[in-house]
Amino acid sequence: MFAPVRDGLRKEIMSENVETVRKIRVKWVRSSNGAKLPHKRTIKALGLRRLQGEVIKEATPAILGMVQSVRHLVEVTEVSES
């Protein structure tokens, strides 16, 4: 699972060198039936269209905040750059 964002991590992610921005894979694993409307909208805003769908996003503070709000519905892994 994905750990909460710490202040040091935000600075590391938002470094001036664009090539060092990390990427994360977000996978929708639990249904949003019965979830609050803001959580459903966050799932849609992340670009997830259906259950078990995956998207790869840059780990910016905005995306990390969105993932944190729906952490009970998604799985997050870091994408290795190879």
Side-chain angles (χ1 to χ4, degrees):
M1 254 347 245
F2 190 70
V5 178
R6 300 178 311 277
D7 289 333
L9 181 61
R10 287 176 201 243
K11 291 176 186 173
E12 181 181 320
I13 290 171
M14 296 305 296
S15 65
E16 292 191 27
N17 187 356
V18 178
E19 296 176 19
T20 62
V21 175
R22 297 186 311 178
K23 295 196 180 252
I24 56 173
R25 174 177 283 123
V26 183
K27 182 177 181 181
W28 186 9
V29 294
R30 291 195 61 194
S31 173
S32 60
N33 286 346
K36 295 179 179 178
L37 185 58
H39 294 175
K40 291 180 180 184
R41 289 183 176 166
T42 301
I43 291 289
K44 187 173 182 177
L46 283 169
L48 295 164
R49 297 180 181 205
R50 56 181 58 104
L51 205 55
Q52 300 302 321
E54 294 182 357
V55 292
I56 296 177
K57 297 283 186 181
E58 289 185 358
T60 62
I63 297 295
L64 295 175
M66 292 168 72
V67 168
Q68 182 71 18
S69 71
V70 293
R71 65 186 177 274
H72 57 289
L73 300 175
V74 298
E75 282 183 359
V76 180
T77 55
E78 195 166 339
V79 176
S80 61
E81 306 248 347
S82 45

